[in-house]
Structure formats: C-alpha cells, structure tokens
Amino acid sequence: MPANSSLLVGRELRLAARRPMDALSGLVFFVLVGSLFPLAVGPDAPLLVAIGPGVVWVAALLAVAISLHRLFEPDLDDGVLEQWLLSPHSLTGLVALRIAAHWLVCGLPLVAVGPVLALQYGLSPPAVAVLLAALLLGTPTLSLLGALGAALTLGLRGHVLVALIVLPLCVPVLVFGSSAVSAGQQGLPVGPQLSLLGACLSLAAFLCPWATGAALRLAVE
Amino acid sequence: MVFAALSFAARPGDAVQVRGSNGSGKSSLLRLLCGLLEPARGEVRWRRRAVSARDAGFAGEVAYLGHACGMTGELTVLENLRFALHLTGRACTEAACREALGQLGLAGRENEHVRRLSQGQRRRLALARVLLSGRPLWLLDEPCDALDDGATRAFEARLAAHAADGGVAVVTTHRDIAGQGREPRRIDMDALDDAGELQPARRA
C-alpha cells in the first residue's frame, strides 16, 4: 500500500520548523568549519585553492554526521517507531520518505551554501558549478548511508558511534566529490567523477532504505 | 525467559484481561501478540496464520497501544492524530477526528502541542487513535494508565462496544475491567508457573 508522501514529508518539515536546532546545527557547523580553514591557513591563495574542495567536502560530511543521532531517536522514545513497524504501508517506503525529508532539511541547505563557502577558497566559477553538481549528487548518498548508521546504533545512546560507522562508508563520496571539484578547477573533464557519484547514489538509494528498515525492526525488538 | 506455558485463544467478541505483577511479562506478551517480538518457542496465530509485523495483512487488522503513546510532542493534537491514522492506512476526515477527540474530553485542545498536555490527556489522545483505527484486534498496554475515573469508565464502555461488534481485545491492566454484558476473560501472569497451561486452545 503506497503511503501519502506529501503528508509524511510534510510532517517532517513541520517538525524541523518546530525543532529548528536539529536542522540548523548542521548548517551552522558547515559554515563555521568552512570559514575557519581560510582564517587558520592564512592568505596563501594557491594553498587555499588546493585544499578548498577537500575541506568543503569534509565539512559537509561532518555536518551531516552530527545531525544523524536525531534522525530516529525522538520517534523511538515517543513510541512512533512502533507504529511505523505495525503500519500496513511498506516500511521501506516510509523509511525512504523519512530519508528524503532528512535530506531536504539537512542536505539541501548545505548544497545551497556550499558555493558561497567555495568563494572563500578562490575557486573558479566552473569549479563552483562542479561543486554544486557534486554536492547535489553526493549529499543524498550521505543522508542514505547516515540513516543506515543511525538505525544500526539506535538505542545505544552513543552519538560518536554513529559517526564511526557512517564516516568510513562515506569515503567514496568524499573522494569522488572532492576530486571532481579539483578537476573542475584545473579545467579537466569531470564526467567520470560525477558519474561515479551518481552510481554511489543509485546503489545507496536501492539498498539503504531497505537495510535501514531491517535495522529499525531490530532496534525496536 | 520471561514466561512459558501460556496458551489461550480468543474468539470474536472476547475481551481478555492480562494481569500480573510488575515484570511478569504482560508487556512482552502484548508485543509478542502484535509481532514486534518473536517468541523463543511456541507460536502466535491470527486467523490461523502465524503473526508477524511484516505481514501487511495482519498489520492492517491490529491496533497496538504500548507504554509510550506514539505521539510527538512538537506536533499538535490534531496533526498527531491525523498522521497516526494515516500510518494505519485509514483515511479519516478532520471532522471525524474532532468528534472522536470531543468524545474523549479533548475538545478545544485540537491545536495544542502534545508536549503541553498532561499524561492523562496524552493517553486519551492515544486511545482516540485506537478507537478511530477501526481494527478488529486491539492490543492495549495499560490503556487506563493516568486516566481519571470518568475517562476509564468511558473507555470500558467503548471496549464493551468493540467486543459486542465482534472485535477482540487483549488488555493489560492492574484494576479489573468492569464487564458490561459478557464478563472479560482474565489471564494472571503470576499464576503461570505452577499451573502450566491456562486454557489449551489456539488464537482464532
């Protein structure tokens, strides 16, 4: 039975508006970390251009990671998760919508702010465009992998544990994402990296909602 | 092992009350019945099929109320109820939701955040979900917890009406459910160990 997606996503967006810190903390973290590096490194233009893509991607990855522990925990405490599991709707579908809402709230703002951060590193306009495309393809994968990690560690109360599980899984996204931007900066073709990011997204979108649902069943049991 | 040697069957129209001291396995029994837990040994059947929360057909027939009310503090009463009903796959108009809330003494609080409600009012809201779900099988864990006397009596009347309509209810509670018409069956979790089987039968 298909779930009414607008109602489910609407609930998450409404919740995000009423618990603004959950969504904003990741964005503020992203902006702060991205801005601290140029201050610490100093006005060394070639160095900033060289480290820019990597720093922006690491900051985005950590920003997603710090938002993860709130993904399912409130619903577990309130007993909403039990109702999810007992719903005649497909759990995989419900989880997929929950992850989509998480990306809208936590991932999309990073995509929007990323190019602004890139300007601090003096990246060229084509490289900024590549960064935008790479973030658009890569951050949904981070949300998908992050949801899996959050579900696996649900109920353990160890917020660091989520990061320890998720960050290694995100290494391919990190590598392809930052190398795409570096290639864009040097005027090299970026098609292969973006294609690989798209492949990562497809694979994660296919496997993660299902695996996350299975992990949630274990967490509630 | 929380408990063993328990066997009972419920037919349409049965209200089963589960009693027992704290930690005797009342809640675990209910979670087994709704498929959230799997039994280490033995089986649970509903309409001759083994029970599982993964089975959409079974999930479409059970309304479960656990310790937690299943309501989110930051959403309003009406938003919570409509979302919870949507999860059960039952489209419910706003008017029907308001009417059910009114019957449970929550009229005028539809737009209040659940965080601001008292424990008893949250329980009433959770019961509104069960009442509106239209499911034939109710599994309720301490439904009258924090409810006042008036609300408890109103709930008992709804429970009796549910049984009279051919529904099945399994309810854990400390105080006895007042039987209206047919006397509710009672299972005492503390009396399981020595007696062995309570009533040899299967769940209908």
Side-chain angles (χ1 to χ4, degrees), chain A residues 33-124:
Chain A
V33 170
S35 308
L36 285 177
F37 268 86
L39 292 175
V41 169
D44 182 349
L47 181 61
L48 282 178
V49 170
I51 66 168
V55 169
V56 173
W57 265 102
V58 170
L61 177 55
L62 295 178
V64 171
I66 64 168
S67 70
L68 289 177
H69 72 273
R70 298 283 295 166
L71 190 55
F72 298 116
E73 207 178 83
D75 285 341
L76 178 71
D77 293 342
D78 293 338
V80 177
L81 218 48
E82 287 172 351
Q83 303 300 333
W84 277 36
L85 300 192
L86 288 172
S87 167
H89 296 303
S90 119
L91 183 62
T92 305
L94 290 173
V95 168
L97 287 171
R98 182 76 188 79
I99 297 173
H102 175 262
W103 179 74
L104 282 178
V105 169
C106 295
L108 198 55
L110 303 185
V111 177
V113 173
V116 182
L117 275 190
L119 291 180
Q120 300 186 58
Y121 295 89
L123 294 184
S124 65

Side-chain angles (χ1 to χ4, degrees), chain B:
Chain B
M1 180 84 73
V2 181
F3 59 81
L6 169 64
S7 170
F8 72 99
R11 273 168 288 278
D14 274 352
V16 181
Q17 178 183 354
V18 182
R19 281 184 302 188
S21 51
N22 300 137
S24 59
K26 300 190 293 292
S27 300
S28 304
L29 173 62
L30 235 53
R31 291 172 76 83
L32 280 175
L33 293 185
C34 70
L36 285 177
L37 270 181
E38 283 182 19
R41 262 189 305 168
E43 60 180 352
V44 184
R45 288 169 169 272
W46 170 254
R47 298 196 201 282
R48 297 192 172 81
R49 285 178 62 189
V51 152
S52 161
R54 288 156 212 261
D55 180 353
F58 171 71
E61 296 205 284
V62 61
Y64 169 73
L65 170 62
H67 280 294
C69 292
M71 299 291 163
T72 308
E74 283 83 0
L75 296 177
T76 68
V77 170
L78 201 57
E79 286 167 351
N80 263 305
L81 186 56
R82 296 202 66 186
F83 177 72
L85 286 171
H86 176 72
L87 267 189
T88 66
R90 193 178 169 84
C92 208
T93 61
E94 192 172 321
C97 290
R98 284 181 187 275
E99 192 192 327
L101 290 172
Q103 286 173 359
L104 284 158
L106 289 169
R109 297 196 174 267
E110 290 90 350
N111 294 318
E112 201 153 336
H113 286 191
V114 165
R115 188 163 25 95
R116 296 177 193 278
L117 296 186
S118 75
Q119 211 58 38
Q121 286 170 327
R122 283 182 209 196
R123 215 59 189 159
R124 289 174 186 223
L125 174 58
L127 285 173
R129 169 175 65 75
V130 175
L131 296 181
L132 283 172
S133 68
R135 298 289 172 78
L137 174 60
W138 289 1
L139 301 170
L140 312 178
D141 199 353
E142 301 285 351
C144 301
D145 201 20
L147 286 189
D148 57 33
D149 288 344
T152 305
R153 275 194 295 276
F155 164 70
E156 283 167 351
R158 299 298 293 261
L159 191 63
H162 175 66
D165 282 350
V168 178
V170 182
V171 181
T172 70
T173 163
H174 294 299
R175 48 170 286 178
D176 288 351
I177 307 174
Q180 299 193 349
R182 207 157 144 188
E183 192 63 18
R185 311 242 314 272
R186 301 195 204 283
I187 295 175
D188 194 339
M189 300 296 285
D190 296 328
L192 287 179
D193 297 330
D194 43 337
E197 284 198 356
L198 236 124
Q199 273 163 322
R202 58 178 167 66
R203 286 176 57 74

Side-chain angles (χ1 to χ4, degrees), chain A residues 2-208:
Chain A
N4 180 347
S5 46
S6 64
L7 200 112
L8 291 169
V9 175
R11 169 185 184 260
E12 303 304 331
L13 297 184
R14 213 170 276 169
L15 271 178
R18 292 183 195 164
R19 301 173 181 152
M21 277 321 290
D22 285 3
L24 279 179
S25 55
L27 182 63
V28 172
F29 178 88
F30 181 60
V31 172
L32 273 179
V33 170
S35 308
L36 285 177
F37 268 86
L39 292 175
V41 169
D44 182 349
L47 181 61
L48 282 178
V49 170
I51 66 168
V55 169
V56 173
W57 265 102
V58 170
L61 177 55
L62 295 178
V64 171
I66 64 168
S67 70
L68 289 177
H69 72 273
R70 298 283 295 166
L71 190 55
F72 298 116
E73 207 178 83
D75 285 341
L76 178 71
D77 293 342
D78 293 338
V80 177
L81 218 48
E82 287 172 351
Q83 303 300 333
W84 277 36
L85 300 192
L86 288 172
S87 167
H89 296 303
S90 119
L91 183 62
T92 305
L94 290 173
V95 168
L97 287 171
R98 182 76 188 79
I99 297 173
H102 175 262
W103 179 74
L104 282 178
V105 169
C106 295
L108 198 55
L110 303 185
V111 177
V113 173
V116 182
L117 275 190
L119 291 180
Q120 300 186 58
Y121 295 89
L123 294 184
S124 65
V128 173
V130 173
L131 175 68
L132 194 64
L135 283 173
L136 214 47
L137 281 171
T139 48
T141 315
L142 301 185
S143 282
L144 285 158
L145 292 169
L148 178 58
L152 284 171
T153 57
L154 193 59
L156 297 180
R157 307 278 157 195
H159 297 167
V160 185
L161 201 57
V162 188
L164 292 182
I165 288 184
V166 170
L167 295 184
L169 292 175
C170 294
V171 167
V173 178
L174 192 71
V175 171
F176 299 139
S178 55
S179 85
V181 182
S182 298
Q185 179 70 29
Q186 292 157 15
L188 299 171
V190 295
Q193 286 94 334
L194 292 184
S195 302
L196 284 166
L197 280 177
C200 290
L201 175 57
S202 309
L203 194 63
F206 182 67
L207 290 175
C208 285

